[in-house]
């Protein structure tokens, strides 16, 4: 029996990266950049006002040239002054009208407005009487105060976004700031989900005697989308071996990852595994975990596409997806933390687990109102709670990780808990 770590190592070694594609930056959120993006122009592209106020020459309001202080505090106490200057114009953000400032003059400017020629500082509104024809300065500004110089943020040739970085909101904004409408990225991995089982019917039909709804293709497709994959739900695959082989071959051509549920355990899975093994190598060794110990993994086709064989039980299938398939998808997306966030929490009820297998027990994670410590309530695997019921998993926002040597968790024990909530 293989350990969870050994199985995970086999899976992560099979991480594949789809061929890069160039897409609009509006569609690139969460994807890994496949190129180094260099700025071709300065950012900002011109000297501009960093605050609403008046563009002035610092020497005209008691300041000195060349002594600019970065990001001065408008609230900082300074010695008051009284200097009055005529206001000879107004410049709004986006103005394209060049304006030249003469000595002992002021121009009203708005945040982001281009600075008039000869102006070297902005006098904040709060430091003046807010005059329209003449403005009286109550405090000193020095050269460079409240001014964004051209190229302060980025110079031509600077690297705006590095290859291999994941594009978040800040990176998307930076691409827009340097004028890039498209970017080369590694696309989301394509995940195909197939259900196997003659007992299965789709949810738009009424199940007859001995039949059940196809739950897994829907739940696993949703899990794939939540992990960041581009998912194609094949649905139920039934028929003769030749037809099953055609279905799998079609998904090998269109996918980076394939998940087949119901293909391990039971007599019906034998024929399916025989078909799969004609296309590549599949290992169905048991994994020392509960639920989900019966599973398979291998590489199919010339492209060696990772293929997972999951049990038919919905809870076992989802737990196996969380432990092995989700990390593979996250690594393919370039995420640094492929695993869910794990915290330490104090158990509030008894939880049972199988000796020699790592338990993944669905749970409800909470915070203590007084101490703010994490508390966790086991929902599956708890005493008297069957581990296979899907309703309990739907209520869970976390899973307790129970070590292989532990068979019981008591109230008050501190355990590792893995978040399940979206975005964790």
């Amino acid at each position: 029996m293989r350990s969870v770590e050994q199985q995970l190592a086999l899976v992560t070694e099979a991480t594949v990266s789809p061929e890069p594609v160039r897409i609009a930056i509006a569609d690139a959120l969460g994807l890994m950049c496949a190129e180094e993006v260099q700025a071709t122009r300065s950012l900002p592209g011109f000297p501009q006002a960093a605050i609403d106020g008046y563009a002035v020459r610092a020497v005209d309001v008691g300041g000195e040239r060349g002594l600019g202080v970065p990001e001065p505090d408008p609230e900082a106490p300074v010695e008051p002054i009284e200097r009055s200057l005529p206001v000879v114009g107004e410049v709004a953000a986006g103005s394209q009208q060049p304006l030249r400032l003469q000595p002992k003059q002021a121009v009203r400017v708005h945040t982001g407005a281009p600075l008039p020629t000869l102006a070297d500082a902005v006098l904040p509104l709060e430091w003046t009487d807010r005059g329209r024809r003449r403005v009286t300065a109550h405090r000193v500004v020095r050269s460079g105060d409240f001014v964004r110089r051209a190229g302060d943020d980025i110079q031509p040739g600077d690297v705006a976004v590095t290859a291999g970085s994941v594009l978040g909101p800040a990176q998307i904004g930076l691409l827009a700031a340097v004028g890039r409408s498209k970017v080369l990225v590694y696309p989301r991995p394509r995940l195909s989900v197939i259900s196997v089982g003659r007992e299965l019917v789709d949810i738009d039909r009424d199940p007859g005697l001995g039949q059940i709804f196809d739950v897994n293709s829907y739940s696993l497709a949703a899990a794939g989308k939540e992990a960041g994959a581009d998912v194609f739900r094949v649905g139920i695959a039934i028929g003769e071996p030749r037809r099953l082989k055609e279905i799998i071959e079609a998904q090998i051509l269109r996918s980076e990852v394939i998940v087949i549920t119901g293909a391990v355990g039971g007599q019906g899975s034998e024929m399916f595994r025989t078909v799969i093994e004609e296309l590549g190598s599949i290992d169905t060794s048991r994994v020392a975990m509960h639920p989900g110990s019966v599973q398979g993994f291998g590489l199919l086709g010339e492209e060696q596409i990772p293929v997972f064989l999951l049990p038919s039980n919905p809870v076992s299938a989802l737990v196996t997806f969380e432990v092995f398939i989700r990390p593979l998808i996250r690594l393919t997306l370039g995420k640094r933390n492929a695993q869910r966030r794990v915290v330490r929490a104090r158990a509030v009820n008894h939880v049972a687990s199988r000796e020699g297998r790592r338990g993944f027990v669905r749970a409800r994670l909470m915070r203590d109102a007084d101490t703010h410590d994490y508390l966790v309530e086991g929902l599956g695997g708890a005493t008297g709670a069957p581990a296979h019921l899907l309703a309990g998993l739907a209520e869970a926002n976390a899973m307790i990780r129970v070590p292989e040597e532990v068979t019981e968790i008591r109230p008050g024990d501190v355990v590792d808990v893995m978040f399940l909530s979206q975005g964790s």
Side-chain angles (χ1 to χ4, degrees):
M1 186 177 291
R2 189 177 291 136
S3 70
V4 171
E5 285 78 11
Q6 290 171 332
Q7 183 76 352
L8 189 58
L10 288 175
V11 169
T12 54
E13 284 179 4
T15 302
V16 294
S17 294
E19 289 297 317
V21 295
R22 192 169 299 278
I23 64 174
I25 63 172
D27 301 321
L29 182 66
L31 300 180
M32 183 165 59
C33 187
E35 65 174 325
E36 182 179 88
V37 179
Q38 292 186 343
T40 58
R41 63 187 68 185
S42 299
L43 182 67
F46 53 86
Q48 59 182 232
I51 194 171
D52 288 352
Y54 298 86
V56 297
R57 297 193 318 159
V59 295
D60 292 336
V61 289
E64 300 181 27
R65 289 190 177 275
L67 297 177
V69 178
E71 299 184 6
D73 182 3
E75 305 298 327
V78 297
E79 182 179 351
I81 64 167
E82 293 293 331
R83 297 285 177 87
S84 181
L85 300 173
V87 180
V88 297
E90 184 171 355
V91 183
S95 173
Q96 298 182 10
Q97 298 296 325
L99 191 61
R100 184 180 179 87
L101 185 71
Q102 298 298 327
K104 300 187 183 303
Q105 290 181 346
V107 171
R108 176 77 165 87
V109 290
H110 299 266
T111 303
L115 218 61
T117 305
L118 295 187
D120 64 346
V122 175
L123 182 66
L125 280 178
E126 291 78 8
W127 294 6
T128 73
D129 64 353
R130 300 174 182 257
R132 291 189 175 274
R133 294 181 178 275
R134 293 192 69 86
V135 60
T136 299
H138 301 316
R139 296 173 63 170
V140 171
V141 289
R142 290 178 288 182
S143 181
D145 284 356
F146 304 105
V147 172
R148 298 176 184 146
R149 297 179 178 86
D152 269 353
D153 198 347
I154 292 178
Q155 296 281 353
D158 286 350
V159 176
V161 178
T162 59
S165 60
V166 176
L167 299 175
Q171 289 75 27
I172 299 295
L174 194 52
L175 288 170
V178 299
R180 289 290 296 267
S181 62
K182 294 186 176 182
V183 63
L184 193 67
V185 299
Y186 293 102
R188 303 182 189 281
R190 295 168 298 176
L191 170 70
S192 291
V193 180
I194 305 171
S195 287
V196 178
R198 295 189 179 277
E199 76 280 10
L200 300 177
V201 296
D202 209 346
I203 56 177
D204 59 355
R205 293 177 53 192
D206 291 329
L209 180 64
Q211 293 183 319
I212 58 174
F213 286 128
D214 171 26
V215 172
N216 285 347
S217 72
Y218 287 94
S219 62
L220 294 172
K225 290 179 182 178
E226 192 272 336
D230 184 6
V231 179
F232 177 68
R233 191 187 67 83
V234 179
I236 304 167
I238 55 176
E240 297 302 314
R242 179 183 299 178
R243 175 56 183 156
L244 295 177
K245 184 178 180 181
E246 289 174 352
I247 292 173
I248 298 171
E249 286 177 325
Q251 302 317 308
I252 290 174
L253 294 175
R254 68 178 300 166
S255 308
E256 277 77 45
V257 184
I258 299 175
V259 174
I260 305 172
T261 176
V264 288
Q267 183 179 0
S269 66
E270 291 298 328
M271 179 186 68
F272 203 86
R273 287 206 304 275
T274 300
V275 171
I276 292 175
E277 287 169 355
E278 294 179 9
L279 301 172
S281 175
I282 293 289
D283 181 14
T284 56
S285 300
R286 283 180 175 266
V287 180
M289 61 182 289
H290 176 74
S293 66
V294 180
Q295 57 182 274
F297 174 73
L299 305 174
L300 300 187
E302 293 182 2
E303 298 298 324
Q304 295 289 279
I305 301 300
V307 177
F308 294 86
L309 308 184
L310 305 188
S312 58
N313 176 266
V315 172
S316 299
L318 277 174
V319 170
T320 305
F321 187 100
E322 277 291 329
V323 177
F324 300 112
I325 305 173
R326 187 179 192 277
L328 177 66
I329 294 171
R330 304 297 284 177
L331 287 172
T332 301
L333 287 168
K335 304 297 184 182
R336 294 179 181 176
N337 296 318
Q339 303 287 349
R340 296 276 197 180
R341 182 186 172 198
V342 175
V343 298
R344 300 282 284 171
R346 190 170 68 253
V348 300
N349 62 339
H350 281 91
V351 174
S353 185
R354 295 187 182 181
E355 185 177 4
R357 298 188 186 183
R358 182 171 304 175
F360 292 91
V361 180
R362 59 191 184 273
R364 184 182 294 115
L365 188 64
M366 304 163 284
R367 297 297 287 267
D368 188 292
D370 297 323
T371 66
H372 301 292
D373 292 339
Y374 282 109
L375 304 175
V376 64
E377 176 188 9
L379 300 175
T383 303
H388 65 279
L389 299 181
L390 188 60
L393 188 60
E395 297 176 5
N397 63 358
M399 283 197 301
I400 301 172
R401 291 195 317 198
V402 186
E404 289 82 348
E405 68 275 9
V406 175
T407 59
E408 181 184 12
I409 294 173
R410 304 180 191 78
D413 288 348
V414 177
V415 294
D416 287 336
V417 180
M418 182 170 64
F419 279 84
L420 289 184
S421 57
Q422 290 188 4
S424 63

